[in-house]
Amino acid sequence: MLTPAAWGQPHGTQPGTLRAPLEPAARCTECHAGETTPSGQTYMAGDTWGPSMMANAARDPLFLATLTVANQQIPGVGAVCFRCHTPTGFTGGRGTNFGAALDPVLGDNDGVHCDTCHRSIVPADDPGAPYLSNAQLTFSDAPVDGVATRFGPRNDPAISPRHPSMGSAFLRDARLCGQCHNVDHPTLHRLTPEGQDTGQAFPLQSTYTEWAQSDFARRTDPQTCQGCHMPEVGGDPLPSTRIPNSPTRAGQRRHDFLGGNEWGLSLLRAAFPGELDAEFDSARMATRANLRSAATVAFVDPPATGAAGSTVRVRVRVTNNTGHKLPTGYEDARLIWVQVQVGERVVSGAYVDDELVRDAQARVYEFEPGHMVNGRPEHSSFVAQHTVVLSDTRIPPRGMRADARTAPVGRDYAGGEGGSLRHWDDATFEVPLPATAGDVPVTVRLMYRATTKHYVEAIAGANTTDNRGRELLRLFNATNRAAPFEMASVSTTVRVTAAANPPDDGGGCAVASGAAGAHGRWGAWGLGLALAWAARRRRRSVRS
């Protein structure tokens, strides 16, 4: 087995070194699940964690298919991936290659589970800890034949009959999360678009660093990951365990770990039918609510009138309300864009054939990785091959002071408060008005997609080792193909006045919301662009 040290990651607990192995989550849920609030709401850690993406990190079909392709391209690199996705399997020495040795009975399918956080410590004898990349966590151990201590966020933890309990400020610290939510390529450096080696590992995920460079981290009372992604239950004090006579406390935190992967929860429901159907549905609805609070879109001096057949200028502002870039996380396929609709016609940001139409005015927020091909940077769909950041147009968080790792690429966000980057983006669209007079609605939507058809099809097509790619594609088709989700919207009405010389409509068709076929003089142009773009993406997929 290739050890983490062989991949340049020697820190933290290594495979086979724990006297007291990380335990399956089922041992914890025996006590920390099953109770509800007086109104019947689930709140205990085991209940809210179960349908989360964290709990299913080791069996997420998208992860497994990506893992297979990564291992095909860099044999053995899966040992690094499993360090995040199944700490139990990794520390037990079973997280190798494609995961054939993982043992569900020992908790290897429990993903990021109870012991992952509640046994995570900062060792006093390691001045470099905690290591904020690639899950180089150190876990509490136990004396021979003893029981490992579990740590909680309170300074006066309740006594447990099963294990020693201690309070730890680290459980309230964003660095606890940063150990996994910064990910660097274990073997490849980031190159410039000209192919020069920067000497730095390619950043596969930088969510913690994005937060650490923002105002959220610099506040007197920092707004941490836990504060947003583990909200307090509220209401009367509640017990954290169902052991009789357990103390009740206010401020119990949910363990949903709501993020941005709203489609991922639908994927899990389809992959494991009958297991947690209602819970996955509930978690998806909560994730959508979380996404709706992540950003706002507003008009900047919207036009009130315009002549029939003319073009008006519509300016909109998209504001990032989160403590990291928008979007963030697993960056390869997450996509946000602005969609502008006049009446029944989408004039920018249309969605055709399960893909965004990248028209001339399209405003997109994304991270696009690439690699060098014959001395030139090209798009890359495969995480094991990324070496170049082709673009990073994602919106920074408030007050972000970026470095070389996190600086935007391809869009200027200078001009924020106090010399920081702007946490908003202003986009201007030239919008054609109808040829007839009257009031016409103009609607701007902020659309989000957790993954794309191009990415799923690229992974499925590259998989030659097992059936994970085919299974991912089957589930993708069964879950509405990760259709986009509306995060935010704003509407106004423009009064269209009669034109002196009404233009000839031409009888064309336009691209309507979600399909081709509404009326308008740009219809043929929009459909032709959509087809040309789709063909280009297919060619790029083959090259990648």
Side-chain angles (χ1 to χ4, degrees):
M1 179 184 72
L2 289 173
T3 65
W7 294 104
Q9 298 173 72
H11 305 293
T13 299
Q14 302 299 310
T17 61
L18 287 175
R19 290 185 296 270
L22 301 183
E23 293 191 1
R27 288 278 292 165
C28 305
T29 57
E30 289 174 1
C31 295
H32 295 281
E35 296 292 334
T36 62
T37 66
S39 63
Q41 177 190 19
T42 58
Y43 74 92
M44 280 194 164
D47 295 317
T48 53
W49 165 85
S52 71
M53 295 304 302
M54 301 278 269
N56 294 277
R59 60 178 194 159
D60 172 5
L62 182 64
F63 161 68
L64 292 173
T66 301
L67 172 76
T68 291
V69 175
N71 270 316
Q72 289 174 183
Q73 295 167 343
I74 302 180
V77 75
V80 178
C81 304
F82 283 128
R83 193 168 195 177
C84 274
H85 285 262
T86 173
T88 299
F90 173 80
T91 56
R94 300 177 296 277
T96 59
N97 294 327
F98 298 90
L102 294 178
D103 188 343
V105 174
L106 298 176
D108 294 349
N109 279 354
D110 291 346
V112 184
H113 69 328
C114 317
D115 274 3
T116 304
C117 297
H118 292 279
R119 285 180 60 179
S120 183
I121 61 172
V122 180
D125 59 352
D126 187 350
Y131 294 93
L132 301 174
S133 68
N134 294 31
Q136 298 181 85
L137 294 83
T138 299
F139 296 109
S140 63
D141 208 348
V144 176
D145 297 327
V147 178
T149 298
R150 268 63 174 188
F151 296 89
R154 301 182 184 278
N155 295 327
D156 57 340
I159 296 174
S160 169
R162 177 158 296 176
H163 55 74
S165 301
M166 289 186 65
S168 170
F170 193 44
L171 269 291
R172 304 189 297 270
D173 195 320
R175 294 177 301 167
L176 173 72
C177 310
Q179 295 174 110
C180 287
H181 288 279
N182 266 5
V183 183
D184 295 320
H185 200 294
T187 62
L188 298 181
H189 282 184
R190 180 175 177 176
L191 308 179
T192 68
E194 296 74 32
Q196 297 177 329
D197 192 337
T198 66
Q200 302 298 315
F202 186 89
L204 297 173
Q205 184 183 140
S206 303
T207 302
Y208 172 79
T209 298
E210 294 161 13
W211 171 87
Q213 294 173 346
S214 78
D215 277 354
F216 289 74
R218 290 191 295 269
R219 295 170 181 170
T220 303
D221 184 14
Q223 190 167 347
T224 63
C225 318
Q226 294 91 328
C228 290
H229 297 279
M230 301 179 67
E232 292 186 357
V233 177
D236 295 333
L238 298 164
S240 62
T241 173
R242 63 183 178 189
I243 296 174
N245 301 317
S246 295
T248 59
R249 302 178 187 272
Q252 298 285 359
R253 290 196 178 275
R254 295 181 62 87
H255 285 60
D256 310 89
F257 304 105
L258 299 177
N261 197 356
E262 63 94 25
W263 170 73
L265 295 158
S266 178
L267 175 69
L268 291 170
R269 189 187 193 281
F272 309 106
E275 186 175 300
L276 291 169
D277 290 355
E279 290 84 352
F280 283 134
D281 287 344
S282 178
R284 189 183 188 196
M285 292 302 101
T287 300
R288 287 189 162 191
N290 186 55
L291 284 166
R292 290 189 188 100
S293 69
T296 53
V297 60
F299 289 110
V300 180
D301 298 324
T305 64
S310 70
T311 298
V312 295
R313 183 166 294 175
V314 175
R315 185 182 176 200
V316 299
R317 173 168 292 183
V318 180
T319 302
N320 178 8
N321 299 328
T322 74
H324 43 65
K325 287 189 178 183
L326 185 76
T328 191
Y330 184 63
E331 298 159 340
D332 284 50
R334 292 193 176 178
L335 193 65
I336 293 177
W337 72 91
V338 178
Q339 184 181 88
V340 181
Q341 182 172 336
V342 180
E344 296 299 317
R345 181 173 52 156
V346 173
V347 299
S348 182
Y351 182 69
V352 177
D353 190 25
D354 296 313
E355 290 284 17
L356 163 65
V357 177
R358 300 193 181 230
D359 58 84
Q361 301 191 90
R363 199 67 167 185
V364 184
Y365 308 106
E366 65 180 340
F367 178 95
E368 184 180 8
H371 61 161
M372 301 301 292
V373 179
N374 297 324
R376 299 180 60 182
E378 290 193 5
H379 176 85
S380 169
S381 293
F382 308 121
V383 65
Q385 295 181 346
H386 299 341
T387 56
V388 182
V389 178
L390 299 179
S391 69
D392 184 357
T393 57
R394 298 171 299 158
I395 306 176
R398 180 187 291 272
M400 186 179 191
R401 296 171 184 156
D403 58 14
R405 177 190 181 105
T406 57
V409 177
R411 187 166 297 155
D412 185 2
Y413 283 104
E417 302 157 346
S420 65
L421 296 179
R422 287 181 287 109
H423 65 286
W424 70 88
D425 179 51
D426 290 344
T428 301
F429 299 87
E430 299 294 335
V431 176
L433 296 178
T436 57
D439 290 344
V440 61
V442 176
T443 301
V444 177
R445 299 180 180 87
L446 194 63
M447 307 300 295
Y448 171 84
R449 202 177 186 194
T451 195
T452 66
K453 181 180 77 169
H454 170 76
Y455 182 76
V456 169
E457 290 182 345
I459 292 295
N463 187 313
T464 60
T465 303
D466 50 38
N467 70 342
R468 288 173 176 171
R470 292 188 296 275
E471 178 64 4
L472 173 63
L473 188 57
R474 182 189 72 80
L475 293 168
F476 179 74
N477 290 329
T479 53
N480 204 22
R481 301 171 71 79
F485 165 72
E486 181 183 307
M487 294 177 63
S489 67
V490 63
S491 295
T492 190
T493 299
V494 176
R495 173 65 55 87
V496 180
T497 59
N501 296 300
D504 181 5
D505 183 85
C509 64
V511 178
S513 179
H519 300 291
R521 58 192 173 94
W522 284 9
W525 173 83
L527 181 58
L529 178 62
L531 296 175
W533 177 85
R536 180 174 67 85
R537 291 290 282 189
R538 285 193 293 271
R539 289 196 298 272
R540 188 167 73 174
S541 176
V542 172
R543 287 199 307 271
S544 300

